[in-house]
Amino acid sequence: EERSALYDALRSILSLHRSFPDSWGLPHPIPYHLARLMRKLAPEDPVERFGWLFTSHPDLPEGNPRHPRDWEKAVRKARRKAADEVYRAGGLASLLDMAAKVEMPYALGYALAHLKEAAQVEDEVLARYLAGPEGASASFALGFAQARVEAMGPRWALQKLQALGPRWAPAQKARLLVLL
């Protein structure tokens, strides 16, 4: 727990230093040493290592871009990289475990939907979790579906409804249609 707390504190300090070098800047070579120490303290478990990224306003250790669009782009890229690493370490089960532990499971599902493996898991995510009770897995599935609709277009959703819809509950169909 102390390691994790130190890792988070170092990440925050580096983010401040790199985001606001004029007011929070640290003298050279301190940031270099802090970054090395942060990497050494990083949790081995990717779920623990990347959970902070799935909060409402994560501070990036490489610094937060000043323009909101640039910041959003950097956060989405970091989230995709994190989702990819968690998926490679433990598959969909690890991502769902992570979804139960993060502030924004929706963002985790959204990140998964942009990975090349998304097509392999989309039927399972939609069928098993989209109409689940309100909670982390349902939010995860909704984020996943939203990103797939954005990337593949409304036709993708309609094809899913035609192919899988006959076996779905009305709530599943409704949640997918709401995204359109």
Side-chain angles (χ1 to χ4, degrees), residues 145-165:
Q146 177 70 48
R148 294 302 278 173
V149 167
E150 290 173 8
M152 309 295 283
R155 184 170 296 220
W156 172 85
L158 296 174
Q159 289 171 343
K160 287 295 170 188
L161 283 171
Q162 289 172 344
L164 302 172

PDB file of all heavy atoms in Angstrom, residues 145-165:
ATOM      1  N   ALA A 145     -19.850  -0.189 -26.098  1.00  0.00           N
ATOM      2  CA  ALA A 145     -20.819  -0.072 -27.187  1.00  0.00           C
ATOM      3  C   ALA A 145     -20.808   1.333 -27.787  1.00  0.00           C
ATOM      4  O   ALA A 145     -20.886   1.494 -29.013  1.00  0.00           O
ATOM      5  CB  ALA A 145     -22.211  -0.434 -26.691  1.00  0.00           C
ATOM      6  N   GLN A 146     -20.695   2.355 -26.938  1.00  0.00           N
ATOM      7  CA  GLN A 146     -20.652   3.737 -27.428  1.00  0.00           C
ATOM      8  C   GLN A 146     -19.465   3.936 -28.373  1.00  0.00           C
ATOM      9  O   GLN A 146     -19.614   4.507 -29.450  1.00  0.00           O
ATOM     10  CB  GLN A 146     -20.553   4.717 -26.266  1.00  0.00           C
ATOM     11  CG  GLN A 146     -20.439   6.172 -26.691  1.00  0.00           C
ATOM     12  CD  GLN A 146     -21.712   6.702 -27.300  1.00  0.00           C
ATOM     13  OE1 GLN A 146     -22.779   6.512 -26.741  1.00  0.00           O
ATOM     14  NE2 GLN A 146     -21.622   7.364 -28.429  1.00  0.00           N
ATOM     15  N   ALA A 147     -18.308   3.464 -27.977  1.00  0.00           N
ATOM     16  CA  ALA A 147     -17.122   3.620 -28.815  1.00  0.00           C
ATOM     17  C   ALA A 147     -17.241   2.825 -30.118  1.00  0.00           C
ATOM     18  O   ALA A 147     -16.801   3.291 -31.168  1.00  0.00           O
ATOM     19  CB  ALA A 147     -15.877   3.180 -28.047  1.00  0.00           C
ATOM     20  N   ARG A 148     -17.843   1.648 -30.051  1.00  0.00           N
ATOM     21  CA  ARG A 148     -18.020   0.851 -31.279  1.00  0.00           C
ATOM     22  C   ARG A 148     -18.989   1.538 -32.230  1.00  0.00           C
ATOM     23  O   ARG A 148     -18.772   1.560 -33.440  1.00  0.00           O
ATOM     24  CB  ARG A 148     -18.502  -0.563 -30.948  1.00  0.00           C
ATOM     25  CG  ARG A 148     -17.508  -1.412 -30.176  1.00  0.00           C
ATOM     26  CD  ARG A 148     -16.186  -1.590 -30.845  1.00  0.00           C
ATOM     27  NE  ARG A 148     -16.253  -2.647 -31.855  1.00  0.00           N
ATOM     28  CZ  ARG A 148     -15.261  -2.934 -32.695  1.00  0.00           C
ATOM     29  NH1 ARG A 148     -14.142  -2.257 -32.653  1.00  0.00           N
ATOM     30  NH2 ARG A 148     -15.397  -3.893 -33.573  1.00  0.00           N
ATOM     31  N   VAL A 149     -20.060   2.122 -31.697  1.00  0.00           N
ATOM     32  CA  VAL A 149     -21.005   2.859 -32.543  1.00  0.00           C
ATOM     33  C   VAL A 149     -20.287   4.045 -33.187  1.00  0.00           C
ATOM     34  O   VAL A 149     -20.447   4.298 -34.389  1.00  0.00           O
ATOM     35  CB  VAL A 149     -22.235   3.321 -31.738  1.00  0.00           C
ATOM     36  CG1 VAL A 149     -23.057   4.336 -32.526  1.00  0.00           C
ATOM     37  CG2 VAL A 149     -23.099   2.129 -31.353  1.00  0.00           C
ATOM     38  N   GLU A 150     -19.498   4.771 -32.415  1.00  0.00           N
ATOM     39  CA  GLU A 150     -18.768   5.921 -32.960  1.00  0.00           C
ATOM     40  C   GLU A 150     -17.775   5.494 -34.038  1.00  0.00           C
ATOM     41  O   GLU A 150     -17.638   6.162 -35.058  1.00  0.00           O
ATOM     42  CB  GLU A 150     -18.036   6.670 -31.851  1.00  0.00           C
ATOM     43  CG  GLU A 150     -18.945   7.417 -30.912  1.00  0.00           C
ATOM     44  CD  GLU A 150     -18.212   8.022 -29.729  1.00  0.00           C
ATOM     45  OE1 GLU A 150     -16.961   7.992 -29.688  1.00  0.00           O
ATOM     46  OE2 GLU A 150     -18.897   8.534 -28.822  1.00  0.00           O
ATOM     47  N   ALA A 151     -17.074   4.390 -33.813  1.00  0.00           N
ATOM     48  CA  ALA A 151     -16.048   3.940 -34.752  1.00  0.00           C
ATOM     49  C   ALA A 151     -16.629   3.247 -35.979  1.00  0.00           C
ATOM     50  O   ALA A 151     -16.148   3.445 -37.096  1.00  0.00           O
ATOM     51  CB  ALA A 151     -15.068   2.992 -34.041  1.00  0.00           C
ATOM     52  N   MET A 152     -17.667   2.431 -35.775  1.00  0.00           N
ATOM     53  CA  MET A 152     -18.189   1.599 -36.863  1.00  0.00           C
ATOM     54  C   MET A 152     -19.455   2.182 -37.502  1.00  0.00           C
ATOM     55  O   MET A 152     -19.871   1.736 -38.556  1.00  0.00           O
ATOM     56  CB  MET A 152     -18.502   0.199 -36.332  1.00  0.00           C
ATOM     57  CG  MET A 152     -17.365  -0.451 -35.566  1.00  0.00           C
ATOM     58  SD  MET A 152     -15.927  -0.780 -36.551  1.00  0.00           S
ATOM     59  CE  MET A 152     -16.468  -2.213 -37.430  1.00  0.00           C
ATOM     60  N   GLY A 153     -20.083   3.119 -36.821  1.00  0.00           N
ATOM     61  CA  GLY A 153     -21.290   3.745 -37.338  1.00  0.00           C
ATOM     62  C   GLY A 153     -22.555   3.048 -36.872  1.00  0.00           C
ATOM     63  O   GLY A 153     -22.524   1.935 -36.345  1.00  0.00           O
ATOM     64  N   PRO A 154     -23.692   3.712 -37.085  1.00  0.00           N
ATOM     65  CA  PRO A 154     -24.978   3.166 -36.646  1.00  0.00           C
ATOM     66  C   PRO A 154     -25.299   1.813 -37.280  1.00  0.00           C
ATOM     67  O   PRO A 154     -25.973   0.991 -36.673  1.00  0.00           O
ATOM     68  CB  PRO A 154     -25.996   4.222 -37.079  1.00  0.00           C
ATOM     69  CG  PRO A 154     -25.215   5.460 -37.288  1.00  0.00           C
ATOM     70  CD  PRO A 154     -23.830   5.044 -37.654  1.00  0.00           C
ATOM     71  N   ARG A 155     -24.800   1.586 -38.473  1.00  0.00           N
ATOM     72  CA  ARG A 155     -25.055   0.317 -39.151  1.00  0.00           C
ATOM     73  C   ARG A 155     -24.531  -0.868 -38.331  1.00  0.00           C
ATOM     74  O   ARG A 155     -25.148  -1.919 -38.298  1.00  0.00           O
ATOM     75  CB  ARG A 155     -24.416   0.325 -40.541  1.00  0.00           C
ATOM     76  CG  ARG A 155     -24.732  -0.923 -41.344  1.00  0.00           C
ATOM     77  CD  ARG A 155     -24.287  -0.725 -42.739  1.00  0.00           C
ATOM     78  NE  ARG A 155     -25.100   0.381 -43.267  1.00  0.00           N
ATOM     79  CZ  ARG A 155     -25.589   0.410 -44.474  1.00  0.00           C
ATOM     80  NH1 ARG A 155     -25.322  -0.550 -45.302  1.00  0.00           N
ATOM     81  NH2 ARG A 155     -26.321   1.413 -44.881  1.00  0.00           N
ATOM     82  N   TRP A 156     -23.405  -0.660 -37.646  1.00  0.00           N
ATOM     83  CA  TRP A 156     -22.847  -1.719 -36.797  1.00  0.00           C
ATOM     84  C   TRP A 156     -23.872  -2.114 -35.725  1.00  0.00           C
ATOM     85  O   TRP A 156     -24.112  -3.297 -35.492  1.00  0.00           O
ATOM     86  CB  TRP A 156     -21.548  -1.230 -36.145  1.00  0.00           C
ATOM     87  CG  TRP A 156     -21.015  -2.167 -35.108  1.00  0.00           C
ATOM     88  CD1 TRP A 156     -20.217  -3.253 -35.311  1.00  0.00           C
ATOM     89  CD2 TRP A 156     -21.265  -2.118 -33.698  1.00  0.00           C
ATOM     90  NE1 TRP A 156     -19.949  -3.874 -34.113  1.00  0.00           N
ATOM     91  CE2 TRP A 156     -20.581  -3.198 -33.111  1.00  0.00           C
ATOM     92  CE3 TRP A 156     -21.990  -1.268 -32.880  1.00  0.00           C
ATOM     93  CZ2 TRP A 156     -20.603  -3.437 -31.737  1.00  0.00           C
ATOM     94  CZ3 TRP A 156     -22.019  -1.508 -31.522  1.00  0.00           C
ATOM     95  CH2 TRP A 156     -21.324  -2.589 -30.961  1.00  0.00           C
ATOM     96  N   ALA A 157     -24.454  -1.107 -35.082  1.00  0.00           N
ATOM     97  CA  ALA A 157     -25.429  -1.383 -34.022  1.00  0.00           C
ATOM     98  C   ALA A 157     -26.648  -2.113 -34.577  1.00  0.00           C
ATOM     99  O   ALA A 157     -27.142  -3.069 -33.962  1.00  0.00           O
ATOM    100  CB  ALA A 157     -25.852  -0.089 -33.338  1.00  0.00           C
ATOM    101  N   LEU A 158     -27.099  -1.688 -35.710  1.00  0.00           N
ATOM    102  CA  LEU A 158     -28.264  -2.343 -36.316  1.00  0.00           C
ATOM    103  C   LEU A 158     -27.949  -3.786 -36.716  1.00  0.00           C
ATOM    104  O   LEU A 158     -28.788  -4.676 -36.546  1.00  0.00           O
ATOM    105  CB  LEU A 158     -28.756  -1.528 -37.514  1.00  0.00           C
ATOM    106  CG  LEU A 158     -29.272  -0.130 -37.153  1.00  0.00           C
ATOM    107  CD1 LEU A 158     -29.603   0.655 -38.418  1.00  0.00           C
ATOM    108  CD2 LEU A 158     -30.458  -0.206 -36.222  1.00  0.00           C
ATOM    109  N   GLN A 159     -26.736  -4.020 -37.218  1.00  0.00           N
ATOM    110  CA  GLN A 159     -26.333  -5.391 -37.545  1.00  0.00           C
ATOM    111  C   GLN A 159     -26.268  -6.258 -36.293  1.00  0.00           C
ATOM    112  O   GLN A 159     -26.661  -7.428 -36.320  1.00  0.00           O
ATOM    113  CB  GLN A 159     -24.988  -5.390 -38.274  1.00  0.00           C
ATOM    114  CG  GLN A 159     -25.063  -4.853 -39.682  1.00  0.00           C
ATOM    115  CD  GLN A 159     -23.698  -4.651 -40.313  1.00  0.00           C
ATOM    116  OE1 GLN A 159     -22.667  -4.604 -39.643  1.00  0.00           O
ATOM    117  NE2 GLN A 159     -23.685  -4.531 -41.634  1.00  0.00           N
ATOM    118  N   LYS A 160     -25.774  -5.690 -35.197  1.00  0.00           N
ATOM    119  CA  LYS A 160     -25.721  -6.443 -33.937  1.00  0.00           C
ATOM    120  C   LYS A 160     -27.139  -6.769 -33.461  1.00  0.00           C
ATOM    121  O   LYS A 160     -27.403  -7.870 -32.989  1.00  0.00           O
ATOM    122  CB  LYS A 160     -24.970  -5.664 -32.845  1.00  0.00           C
ATOM    123  CG  LYS A 160     -23.492  -5.605 -33.063  1.00  0.00           C
ATOM    124  CD  LYS A 160     -22.893  -6.990 -32.975  1.00  0.00           C
ATOM    125  CE  LYS A 160     -21.470  -7.034 -33.425  1.00  0.00           C
ATOM    126  NZ  LYS A 160     -20.939  -8.383 -33.515  1.00  0.00           N
ATOM    127  N   LEU A 161     -28.028  -5.815 -33.592  1.00  0.00           N
ATOM    128  CA  LEU A 161     -29.416  -6.058 -33.192  1.00  0.00           C
ATOM    129  C   LEU A 161     -30.056  -7.156 -34.042  1.00  0.00           C
ATOM    130  O   LEU A 161     -30.805  -7.986 -33.524  1.00  0.00           O
ATOM    131  CB  LEU A 161     -30.235  -4.778 -33.286  1.00  0.00           C
ATOM    132  CG  LEU A 161     -30.010  -3.781 -32.159  1.00  0.00           C
ATOM    133  CD1 LEU A 161     -30.708  -2.465 -32.466  1.00  0.00           C
ATOM    134  CD2 LEU A 161     -30.492  -4.344 -30.843  1.00  0.00           C
ATOM    135  N   GLN A 162     -29.766  -7.168 -35.317  1.00  0.00           N
ATOM    136  CA  GLN A 162     -30.335  -8.197 -36.188  1.00  0.00           C
ATOM    137  C   GLN A 162     -29.733  -9.569 -35.899  1.00  0.00           C
ATOM    138  O   GLN A 162     -30.443 -10.566 -35.861  1.00  0.00           O
ATOM    139  CB  GLN A 162     -30.116  -7.833 -37.657  1.00  0.00           C
ATOM    140  CG  GLN A 162     -30.967  -6.673 -38.112  1.00  0.00           C
ATOM    141  CD  GLN A 162     -30.604  -6.199 -39.513  1.00  0.00           C
ATOM    142  OE1 GLN A 162     -29.546  -6.531 -40.042  1.00  0.00           O
ATOM    143  NE2 GLN A 162     -31.497  -5.404 -40.107  1.00  0.00           N
ATOM    144  N   ALA A 163     -28.421  -9.607 -35.678  1.00  0.00           N
ATOM    145  CA  ALA A 163     -27.750 -10.886 -35.464  1.00  0.00           C
ATOM    146  C   ALA A 163     -27.971 -11.436 -34.062  1.00  0.00           C
ATOM    147  O   ALA A 163     -28.226 -12.632 -33.889  1.00  0.00           O
ATOM    148  CB  ALA A 163     -26.254 -10.740 -35.737  1.00  0.00           C
ATOM    149  N   LEU A 164     -27.844 -10.583 -33.065  1.00  0.00           N
ATOM    150  CA  LEU A 164     -27.897 -11.040 -31.672  1.00  0.00           C
ATOM    151  C   LEU A 164     -29.206 -10.683 -30.978  1.00  0.00           C
ATOM    152  O   LEU A 164     -29.573 -11.296 -29.986  1.00  0.00           O
ATOM    153  CB  LEU A 164     -26.734 -10.441 -30.877  1.00  0.00           C
ATOM    154  CG  LEU A 164     -25.329 -10.741 -31.392  1.00  0.00           C
ATOM    155  CD1 LEU A 164     -24.300  -9.920 -30.632  1.00  0.00           C
ATOM    156  CD2 LEU A 164     -25.021 -12.214 -31.290  1.00  0.00           C
ATOM    157  N   GLY A 165     -29.877  -9.676 -31.491  1.00  0.00           N
ATOM    158  CA  GLY A 165     -31.074  -9.143 -30.864  1.00  0.00           C
ATOM    159  C   GLY A 165     -32.164 -10.134 -30.528  1.00  0.00           C
ATOM    160  O   GLY A 165     -32.781 -10.025 -29.459  1.00  0.00           O
TER     161      GLY A 165
END
